[in-house]
């Protein structure tokens, strides 16, 4: 199955930009450890993964009553500070949840990708 | 439904679902197919006679249904045709299989139903449905929600299991105790919904408590050494043993001290006693949840052991509540301790133990305060507390009890 893993919010972690250089490096190592844990796990593959620009660099497009508006900022009702995402191939939800313990303790949403079959 | 069919559904439903799921991994198809098989049996068995192996008959018919459905899907998609042929060639696993496979399948099913990614109230309903085979109609009645609401809730949970890829698997031994603890929590939630109705008239709720006991019994049979399940089963049996004495002939609530102890189910009390004496519970450090269930069970056992209400060892019960508050300090436990203190050391000591205690949304603190105030002769203050309790209480049976108490204290209606 494919899962989209959204790193939704920092949770109890301080914002990335407020971390010292050493703390940022420690954080980066956790992402590397996560990559390694996924590589080592049977049936797991990271299909895509990116960090996203800060919320104030997002652009929102809405169409209401046929009229399209483009505005500054994230879609506030959905995500305040979506920081990044992984698209994973994994056998089941528990494998994903187990691997995610390697990442820093962000608030995370895991959504299955709809299988057309 | 013929009685033989009723019995096999009651006893074998969970195993049949687990077996078929182990084979096909399609929860959506398996349960429908089994439902169809039961319907077919209800038509055919009275006409053709009950088959020699009723569970095997249901399994075979359900298997064929699943294969038919898979074939229909494969026709639509073409590319799955080979998979179906392969499934048909595999021999069906016998119901009589004495190996651990079936038991493990059943444990997998329980763990899947109570996965933490499902809402707890859905998990309880799903476990009753899939493991025990309780009908959606009955589950809706047990939880006091309309049947379409419960059907939607169960359907949503099943859909999430399939689409989110919640595994049909027993997790690593390292996390299994945690998962069994959440199974226990789920069963206790269902039991509480049955044992202490929060609203409405008392109806089928004893049956829900009974089903919850059956669920814990089923899971504990698979993991008899688990202390959380052992302590919980003892606690539930002790509380459940009083079911016939908790209401009088007119359906009114009978409090513990007025209950006819001859109507308590002694066999269940004795079984609980054996469970409480099991080696897994004594002299070993217990997980917090197991310790909480154990201490509550020991309190219930003190009540069960007292020949009359007056002979209850309240001093021991106070000590048990002190220990419980150390394990998990909760307002309901403080309230229960205050009642025990009042019985052991008098109503004024009880009132002091109630100082500063509030349970938002619950009428029970006010009801207890009212009773203790009445016992020390402070009638106006007691009436005030009774009115507070009446305003907060949503259960008809309990409201009737509070009103009766009020009429006794203020016969002139003051």
């Amino acid at each position: 199955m494919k899962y989209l893993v959204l790193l939704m919010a920092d949770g109890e972690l301080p914002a990335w930009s407020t971390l010292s250089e050493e703390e940022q490096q420690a954080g980066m190592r956790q992402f590397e450890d996560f990559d390694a844990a996924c590589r080592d796990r049977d049936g797991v593959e990271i299909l895509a993964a990116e960090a996203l620009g800060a919320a104030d660099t997002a652009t929102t497009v809405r169409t209401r009553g046929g009229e399209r508006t483009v505005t500054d900022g994230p879609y506030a009702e959905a995500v305040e500070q979506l920081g990044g995402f992984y698209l994973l191939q994994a056998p089941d939800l528990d494998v994903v949840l187990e691997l995610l313990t390697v990442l820093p303790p962000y608030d995370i949403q895991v959504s299955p990708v709809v299988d057309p079959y | 439904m013929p009685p033989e069919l009723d019995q096999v559904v009651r006893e074998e439903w969970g195993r049949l679902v687990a077996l078929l799921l182990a084979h096909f991994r399609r929860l959506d198809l398996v349960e429908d197919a089994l439902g169809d098989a039961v319907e077919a049996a209800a038509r055919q068995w009275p006409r053709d006679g009950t088959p020699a192996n009723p569970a095997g008959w249901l399994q075979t018919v359900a298997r064929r249904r699943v294969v038919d459905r898979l074939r229909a899907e494969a026709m639509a998609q073409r590319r799955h045709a080979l998979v179906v042929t392969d499934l048909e060639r595999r021999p069906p696993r016998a119901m009589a299989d004495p190996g651990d496979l079936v038991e493990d399948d059943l444990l997998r099913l329980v763990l899947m139903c109570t996965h933490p990614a499902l809402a707890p109230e859905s998990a309880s309903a799903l476990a009753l449905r899939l493991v025990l085979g309780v009908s959606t109609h009955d589950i809706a009645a047990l939880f006091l929600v309309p049947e379409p609401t419960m059907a939607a809730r169960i359907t949503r949970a099943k859909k999430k299991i399939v689409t989110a890829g919640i595994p049909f698997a027993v997790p690593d031994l390292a996390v299994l105790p945690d998962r069994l603890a959440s199974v226990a929590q789920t069963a206790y939630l269902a039991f509480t919904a049955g044992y202490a109705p929060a609203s409405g008239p008392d109806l089928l709720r004893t049956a829900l408590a009974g089903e919850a006991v059956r669920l814990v019994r089923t899971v504990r049979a698979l993991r008899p050494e688990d202390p959380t399940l052992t302590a919980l089963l003892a606690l539930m049996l002790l509380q459940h043993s009083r079911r016939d004495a908790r209401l009088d002939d007119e359906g009114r609530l009978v409090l513990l001290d007025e209950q006819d102890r001859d109507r308590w189910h002694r066999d269940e009390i004795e079984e609980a006693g054996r469970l409480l004496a099991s080696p897994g519970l004594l002299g070993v450090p217990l997980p917090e949840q197991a310790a909480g269930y154990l201490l509550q069970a020991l309190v219930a056992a003190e009540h069960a052991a007292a020949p009359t209400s007056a002979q209850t060892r309240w001093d021991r019960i106070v000590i048990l509540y002190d220990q419980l508050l150390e394990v998990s300090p909760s307002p309901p436990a403080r309230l229960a301790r205050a009642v025990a203190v009042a019985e052991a050391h008098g109503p004024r000591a009880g009132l002091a133990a109630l100082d500063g205690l509030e349970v938002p949304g619950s009428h029970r603190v006010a009801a207890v305060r009212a009773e203790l105030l009445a016992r020390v002769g402070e009638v106006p203050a007691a009436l005030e507390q009774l009115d507070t309790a009446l305003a907060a209480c949503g259960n008809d049976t309990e409201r009737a009890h509070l009103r009766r108490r009020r009429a006794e204290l203020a016969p002139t209606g003051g």
Side-chain angles (χ1 to χ4, degrees):
Chain A
M1 295 183 64
K2 284 184 205 161
Y3 293 90
L4 183 63
V5 174
L6 298 172
L7 310 183
M8 300 292 292
D10 294 332
E12 290 181 339
L13 286 176
W16 184 259
S17 58
T18 66
L19 296 181
S20 70
E21 201 166 318
E22 293 88 66
E23 288 169 326
Q24 289 193 350
Q25 276 172 10
M28 289 309 291
R29 269 197 300 281
Q30 282 183 283
F31 284 100
E32 287 160 17
D33 291 347
F34 179 72
D35 287 353
C38 288
R39 261 197 312 280
D40 291 348
R41 188 68 181 252
D42 276 350
V44 176
E45 193 184 342
I46 298 178
L47 302 171
E50 300 293 349
L52 302 179
D56 59 11
T57 64
T59 303
T60 303
V61 181
R62 285 188 182 83
T63 306
R64 295 286 182 276
E67 192 173 330
R68 187 166 178 267
T69 53
V70 177
T71 53
D72 176 40
Y75 188 68
E77 288 146 43
V79 278
E80 289 292 348
Q81 36 185 335
L82 181 59
F85 71 89
Y86 287 97
L87 183 63
L88 295 181
Q89 176 75 48
D92 62 45
L93 181 63
D94 279 7
V95 172
V96 177
L97 295 178
E98 191 194 321
L99 288 167
L100 289 178
T101 60
V102 179
L103 281 180
Y106 294 114
D107 293 347
I108 297 172
Q109 177 181 314
V110 180
S111 292
V113 175
V114 173
D115 180 352
Y117 300 104
Chain B
M1 198 186 277
E4 300 85 359
L5 180 56
D6 194 50
Q7 190 191 343
V8 71
V9 164
R10 198 176 156 78
E11 289 173 2
E12 301 287 351
W13 182 275
R15 281 193 178 77
L16 286 167
V17 172
L19 267 169
L20 290 163
L21 206 51
H23 198 140
F24 294 111
R25 304 282 161 136
R26 282 288 298 270
L27 181 59
D28 50 341
L29 299 186
V30 160
E31 228 226 338
D32 283 353
L34 203 49
D36 287 351
V38 170
E39 224 171 78
R43 275 196 315 274
Q44 290 181 29
W45 294 6
R47 193 185 63 215
D48 307 338
T50 304
N53 178 356
W57 190 98
L58 289 175
Q59 192 196 349
T60 306
V61 172
R63 240 185 80 78
R64 259 184 234 139
R65 295 276 173 148
V66 178
V67 172
D68 284 350
R69 287 282 298 276
L70 286 173
R71 186 183 288 126
E73 283 184 12
M75 289 297 281
Q77 293 166 10
R78 296 286 169 191
R79 46 176 265 164
H80 280 189
L82 286 172
V83 179
V84 176
T85 328
D86 179 50
L87 281 172
E88 274 182 312
R89 272 198 216 109
R90 267 190 254 169
R93 210 189 276 162
M95 268 312 284
D97 182 356
D100 293 338
L101 276 175
V102 174
E103 299 305 337
D104 268 358
D105 287 344
L106 190 58
L107 184 60
R108 276 192 202 117
L109 182 64
V110 172
L111 291 169
M112 188 181 78
C113 290
T114 53
H115 195 279
L118 295 171
E121 66 275 14
S122 305
S124 305
L126 202 60
L128 293 177
R129 172 81 207 111
L130 291 184
V131 181
L132 301 182
V134 182
S135 73
T136 304
H137 172 271
D138 285 356
I139 296 172
L142 295 168
F143 282 95
L144 296 180
V145 300
E147 188 174 346
T149 306
M150 184 49 81
R153 195 181 290 173
I154 291 177
T155 304
R156 221 172 18 247
K158 287 197 284 190
K159 193 172 159 198
K160 176 152 186 192
I161 286 175
V162 175
T163 53
I166 289 175
F168 180 65
V170 178
D172 285 352
L173 276 179
V175 296
L176 185 61
D178 287 347
R179 293 292 299 278
L180 288 176
S182 78
V183 172
Q185 185 111 42
T186 293
Y188 197 41
L189 197 71
F191 181 82
T192 312
Y195 181 77
S199 64
D202 186 77
L203 273 175
L204 285 161
R205 321 231 81 199
T206 312
L208 176 57
E211 294 293 0
V213 172
R214 196 153 71 91
L215 181 61
V216 176
R217 215 190 264 290
T218 304
V219 183
R220 188 177 169 271
L222 306 173
R223 283 290 180 280
E225 77 290 354
D226 185 80
T228 307
L229 293 171
T230 303
L232 177 63
L233 183 57
L235 171 60
M236 285 162 95
L237 282 171
L238 285 163
Q239 291 180 341
H240 197 53
S241 72
R242 297 187 206 130
R243 61 191 169 281
D244 295 340
R246 293 181 73 227
L247 295 177
D248 67 13
D249 295 339
E250 280 133 66
R252 288 181 305 196
L253 187 69
V254 183
L255 296 182
L256 183 62
D257 59 338
E258 288 160 3
Q259 286 175 11
D260 176 359
R261 288 169 190 237
D262 290 339
R263 297 182 72 184
W264 290 359
H265 291 244
R266 284 289 150 193
D267 50 337
E268 290 168 11
I269 291 171
E270 280 161 22
E271 186 186 351
R274 286 193 297 276
L275 289 168
L276 289 175
S278 43
L281 286 182
L282 298 171
V284 288
L286 293 178
E288 185 183 310
Q289 195 184 5
Y293 291 146
L294 174 63
L295 287 163
Q296 292 177 69
L298 290 172
V299 169
E302 283 294 337
H303 289 300
T308 65
S309 167
Q311 287 167 279
T312 307
R313 294 291 309 268
W314 288 105
D315 52 335
R316 287 204 238 183
I317 292 178
V318 172
I319 293 169
L320 288 168
Y321 276 126
D322 285 340
Q323 293 174 340
L324 181 62
L325 285 171
E326 271 173 38
V327 175
S328 56
S330 73
R334 276 193 65 195
L335 177 63
R337 178 183 175 275
V339 172
V341 167
E343 296 294 343
H345 309 296
R348 287 204 185 276
L351 282 167
L354 276 179
D355 260 357
L357 179 61
E358 295 300 334
V359 184
S362 166
H363 62 282
R364 287 183 211 277
V365 178
V368 170
R369 217 173 251 142
E371 186 55 40
L372 296 182
L373 285 167
R375 285 190 198 176
V376 298
E378 293 184 23
V379 174
L383 289 174
E384 204 176 295
Q385 291 293 324
L386 271 176
D387 290 337
T388 308
L390 271 164
C393 180
N395 179 278
D396 296 348
T397 312
E398 289 197 45
R399 287 177 63 83
H401 173 81
L402 292 170
R403 268 199 220 95
R404 271 201 311 281
R405 193 70 188 108
R406 198 184 191 293
E408 284 166 15
L409 287 176
T412 54

